[in-house]
Amino acid sequence: MSKRKGDDRLDEMVKILKLLADKTRLTLLDILGDGERCVCDLVEALQTTQPNISQHLRKLREAGLVQETRRGHWAYYKLTVDHLPYVKATLEAVPTTEARRKLQKPSTDSSCCN
């Protein structure tokens, strides 16, 4: 007996919801909900390393939740969840984190992406 289309969708939802169950990935998606960001902004906001952020973003990109654009040496990411209402609803429920508050303030060091 073959899997039905509904089962495939359910499997995809489980995969995506597992990705959202990680605090760093959920925070990244929440930040990207405000608009496109450079990796250096995300590193600064989450106070972690660039390789760590890149690994999380790779998983989100592979799942189709973010899109990457390269400009020079830097990668910029934006949210691509309009086709996933359950992800949008989840992100709307995320409380404002310290990482997100940091990015709402103008950066004092804009040299990383320029």
Side-chain angles (χ1 to χ4, degrees):
M1 181 182 248
S2 65
K3 288 175 99 178
R4 294 188 176 169
K5 192 173 187 174
D7 291 336
D8 290 341
R9 285 193 64 212
L10 185 60
D11 289 343
E12 185 66 22
M13 285 179 73
V14 168
K15 177 183 161 189
I16 289 172
L17 290 170
K18 283 181 181 180
L19 283 173
L20 296 180
D22 180 89
K23 183 178 179 179
T24 299
R25 287 191 288 271
L26 189 57
T27 302
L28 287 168
L29 291 175
D30 181 50
I31 289 169
L32 294 174
D34 286 340
E36 183 179 70
R37 292 289 184 167
C38 178
V39 169
C40 64
D41 288 336
L42 301 172
V43 167
E44 180 182 336
L46 276 82
Q47 294 294 294
T48 188
T49 65
Q50 187 271 329
N52 183 35
I53 294 295
S54 292
Q55 286 299 312
H56 286 292
L57 288 168
R58 178 188 54 79
K59 291 177 182 181
L60 294 171
R61 190 180 70 245
E62 288 172 354
L65 301 178
V66 298
Q67 180 180 14
E68 177 187 67
T69 304
R70 291 242 170 226
R71 294 186 206 134
H73 296 294
W74 294 100
Y76 291 79
Y77 290 86
K78 67 179 180 179
L79 199 57
T80 56
V81 298
D82 287 341
H83 63 293
L84 301 168
Y86 63 96
V87 174
K88 288 175 66 174
T90 300
L91 293 177
E92 288 172 8
V94 174
T96 302
T97 62
E98 182 62 29
R100 190 170 182 184
R101 278 191 286 277
K102 284 180 184 178
L103 288 178
Q104 290 174 344
K105 298 174 186 173
S107 176
T108 56
D109 177 22
S110 60
S111 62
C112 69
C113 302
N114 297 324

